[in-house]
Amino acid sequence: MPDLDLLRSFVSVVEAGGFTRAGERVHRTQSTVSQQIRRLEEKLGCALFRREGRRAPLTEDGERLLGYARRMLALSAELHDTVGKAARVEVVRLGLPDDFAIPALTEIVSAFTRSHPDVRLSVCCDLSVRLGQALAQGELDVALLKREPGSGPCIAAWPERLHWTGDPAVLPAGEETVPLVLRPAGCLYRERAIHALERAGRRWRVVYESPNLPGIQAALRGGLGISLLDEQGLDDGSPILDDTCPPVTHTELALILRPGAPDDAREMAGMLREFCDRQRMRAPARQAAATMGMGKPLAAEPL
């Protein structure tokens, strides 16, 4: 295949109408352009121009080559532009709890994507413990996760009040075993539920396990057992069993930005912070719990 630099000089001679002007276009001397054309002719084994004084009309082989040369140069430019732009695309890696990717938050994420066409947003929904590990390993730029209150630096944090919920009919009396509907091991709510029951001397068993909130909610509606959820995860009209179950301590939702994260990730974090603030204002029960029984909201770091 001919060298693209030789093809570029060839096309320049044709478009400029001569070797001298072609040299000016490609920033080379006339002799250099002439040498490149000779090299191209040697590679192809044919004459490309008829030398007629100052004029240099194309031969039939030159005419055939011209179309190919232009297409190859155009393809090369397209490849360069595409690869170059892809290399410059910034990626913002966002982590969300598997039970927090609600439609309203999805709209926030979509709005960010539309307003940042040159940024590729990568979203990971998982258990908070795994999001924390990914953030610590530099695999995420910004994350919302559930955690123990005050367990590390963050941009902002919102207290979460947890509730026992499920069909009251499946809650056993006395010393009978409590049927639990839980997420897999590593879930903070799972640990809270099990430890609370064990502290109260109650026996328990996991009757249904699901890695996502819809599965938990479906099992609760089906009367399979009881579970521990925050107020965001409760269905409308979900029975609250706090008065008949052991008390549990609160958790918190924390917004964390990776040190050194790009500016676009910081902007994404700002949008999430505003969203969570609005959600908190719409949940009077959580506000009352934070004021009466769970202490003051954690101080937030500035963005």
Side-chain angles (χ1 to χ4, degrees):
M1 179 182 294
D3 188 291
L4 291 177
D5 196 36
L6 301 182
L7 292 178
R8 192 171 291 107
S9 293
F10 168 72
V11 173
S12 296
V13 171
V14 175
E15 293 179 347
F19 288 82
T20 301
R21 291 179 180 176
E24 295 173 354
R25 295 184 62 170
V26 296
H27 307 290
R28 288 182 171 88
T29 64
Q30 176 184 344
S31 61
T32 299
V33 173
S34 297
Q35 290 175 5
Q36 288 185 314
I37 297 302
R38 281 196 295 270
R39 286 175 55 196
L40 183 58
E41 289 176 329
E42 290 173 359
K43 283 180 174 290
L44 297 175
C46 62
L48 301 174
F49 295 96
R50 295 195 301 271
R51 275 66 173 182
E52 299 178 357
R54 293 183 179 181
R55 297 178 62 250
L58 288 169
T59 64
E60 290 185 4
D61 287 323
E63 291 178 351
R64 294 190 187 96
L65 175 63
L66 182 59
Y68 288 107
R70 283 174 170 160
R71 290 200 295 272
M72 291 175 68
L73 292 173
L75 184 60
S76 174
E78 179 184 340
L79 175 63
H80 181 271
D81 289 343
T82 301
V83 173
K85 288 181 179 178
R88 291 190 294 271
V89 168
E90 185 171 283
V91 178
V92 173
R93 301 163 299 173
L94 171 63
L96 298 174
D98 66 303
D99 61 346
F100 208 77
I102 58 179
L105 183 55
T106 302
E107 291 178 8
I108 296 294
V109 172
S110 299
F112 175 85
T113 301
R114 290 192 298 269
S115 63
H116 296 72
D118 294 332
V119 177
R120 180 161 58 88
L121 187 61
S122 175
V123 181
C124 172
C125 294
D126 207 338
L127 291 175
S128 290
V129 63
R130 294 173 185 161
L131 296 179
Q133 293 169 351
L135 196 63
Q137 295 169 1
E139 297 172 1
L140 294 174
D141 297 309
V142 59
L144 272 173
L145 51 83
K146 315 295 184 73
R147 68 178 192 177
E148 296 289 347
S151 56
C154 61
I155 292 173
W158 300 268
E160 288 189 315
R161 185 180 181 183
L162 305 184
H163 297 282
W164 291 100
T165 184
D167 187 345
V170 304
L171 186 61
E175 301 298 322
E176 294 183 38
T177 302
V178 178
L180 293 176
V181 175
L182 299 175
R183 291 185 179 82
C187 172
L188 189 58
Y189 297 172
R190 178 189 179 110
E191 295 174 359
R192 282 285 199 279
I194 292 174
H195 292 168
L197 290 171
E198 290 184 343
R199 283 196 304 269
R202 298 294 303 272
R203 291 182 298 173
W204 57 272
R205 65 187 180 94
V206 178
V207 297
Y208 187 92
E209 187 175 278
S210 174
N212 55 64
L213 179 60
I216 297 292
Q217 293 172 330
L220 293 176
R221 287 192 295 270
L224 297 183
I226 67 171
S227 189
L228 193 64
L229 298 176
D230 71 315
E231 290 174 344
Q232 292 280 0
L234 295 175
D235 279 334
D236 292 339
S238 295
I240 302 298
L241 308 177
D242 294 349
D243 292 339
T244 54
C245 292
V248 292
T249 56
H250 71 283
T251 57
E252 75 176 13
L253 176 69
L255 175 62
I256 306 174
L257 185 70
R258 175 181 62 81
D263 291 340
D264 289 314
R266 187 174 295 273
E267 187 173 345
M268 178 78 256
M271 296 173 68
L272 290 173
R273 183 175 184 174
E274 293 176 1
F275 169 80
C276 291
D277 284 340
R278 290 195 300 270
Q279 290 294 112
R280 181 176 172 81
M281 291 176 64
R282 294 170 184 169
R286 287 206 307 275
Q287 285 186 325
T291 302
M292 298 171 56
M294 302 197 305
K296 297 180 180 179
L298 295 178
E301 296 180 357
L303 277 173

